[in-house]
């Protein structure tokens, strides 16, 4: 009936306790008992801090760097050092369409230091064959701005079949 707070620590300690009255939303039913776990969790959180803005890193990763026309791939923008960052804007690339398909957030609390990251995923659909350069992607996190490295995506025509290798040819039976 009370509101629970969940916190998981690297050592495997898991806390589940009612929130104190001053932390509960208005109108919530609050259990008046305080468990030591909640106090420990709040104490640790009061000393926790996120990694500094200068530690923010971003990288771009293509699930597949070579695809055929008619297929798609996923571009992941991985931002480490902050769990709160807006969605990066992907620069326009002639011949490619990008659509945001989701994000995931990662938070870690290790030895009193809280760190986190966000991954934004984009579906990449080629409009024609060719080799495309996805330029650096700028990521703004608070007062910091970081950039990813550029990536190359190769798109080949789906009707082009790879040449058979010489080792796969069958020897004709001798008569």
């Amino acid at each position: 009936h009370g509101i629970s707070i969940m916190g998981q620590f690297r050592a495997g300690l898991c806390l589940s306790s009612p929130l104190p009255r001053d932390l509960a939303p208005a109108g919530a039913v609050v259990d008046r008992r305080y468990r030591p776990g909640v106090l420990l969790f709040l104490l640790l959180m009061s000393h926790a801090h996120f990694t500094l803005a200068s530690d923010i890193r971003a990288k771009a990763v293509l699930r597949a760097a070579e695809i055929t026309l008619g297929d798609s791939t996923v571009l992941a923008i991985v931002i480490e050092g902050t769990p709160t960052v807006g969605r990066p804007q992907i620069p326009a690339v002639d011949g490619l369409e990008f659509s945001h398909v989701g994000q995931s957030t990662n938070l870690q609390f290790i030895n009193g230091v809280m760190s986190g990251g966000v991954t934004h995923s984009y579906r990449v659909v080629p409009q024609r064959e060719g080799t495309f350069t996805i330029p650096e992607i700028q990521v703004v996190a608070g007062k910091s701005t970081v950039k990813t490295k550029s990536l190359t995506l190769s798109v080949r025509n789906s009707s082009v079949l790879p040449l058979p290798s010489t080792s796969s040819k069958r020897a004709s039976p001798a008569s």
Side-chain angles (χ1 to χ4, degrees):
H1 299 135
I3 298 171
S4 291
I5 183 167
M6 295 293 287
Q8 187 169 4
F9 297 92
R10 194 64 140 184
L13 173 65
C14 184
L15 307 174
S16 176
S17 299
L19 283 174
R21 180 177 305 281
D22 56 347
L23 294 179
V29 177
V30 178
D31 188 340
R32 294 178 191 247
R33 294 173 287 145
Y34 290 89
R35 293 186 187 167
V38 170
L39 296 176
L40 174 65
F41 178 74
L42 293 174
L43 176 67
L44 290 172
M45 290 302 292
S46 69
H47 293 297
H49 58 80
F50 282 94
T51 55
L52 299 174
S54 61
D55 292 338
I56 295 174
R57 296 169 306 283
K59 66 180 176 179
V61 180
L62 281 170
R63 181 177 292 164
E66 293 185 18
I67 59 174
T68 58
L69 191 59
D71 289 338
S72 65
T73 188
V74 173
L75 169 66
I77 308 301
V78 181
I79 304 145
E80 298 171 336
T82 179
T84 55
V85 64
R87 182 177 0 168
Q89 296 300 312
I90 308 299
V93 177
D94 186 36
L96 298 178
E97 285 186 10
F98 298 91
S99 58
H100 190 260
V101 293
Q103 81 175 45
S104 62
T105 302
N106 175 26
L107 291 175
Q108 294 182 339
F109 187 68
I110 302 171
N111 296 330
V113 177
M114 187 177 295
S115 64
V118 178
T119 300
H120 287 274
S121 298
Y122 296 82
R123 182 172 176 222
V124 183
V125 180
Q127 303 303 303
R128 65 176 190 274
E129 63 182 291
T131 301
F132 301 92
T133 299
I134 300 171
E136 296 175 334
I137 299 166
Q138 187 172 343
V139 176
V140 179
K143 295 180 181 180
S144 296
T145 300
V146 293
K147 292 182 180 181
T148 67
K149 292 183 179 179
S150 62
L151 298 172
T152 301
L153 175 65
S154 297
V155 180
R156 60 181 167 87
N157 192 331
S158 59
S159 64
V160 175
L161 299 175
L163 295 173
S165 66
T166 55
S167 61
S168 65
K169 292 182 181 178
R170 291 186 181 172
S172 58
S175 338

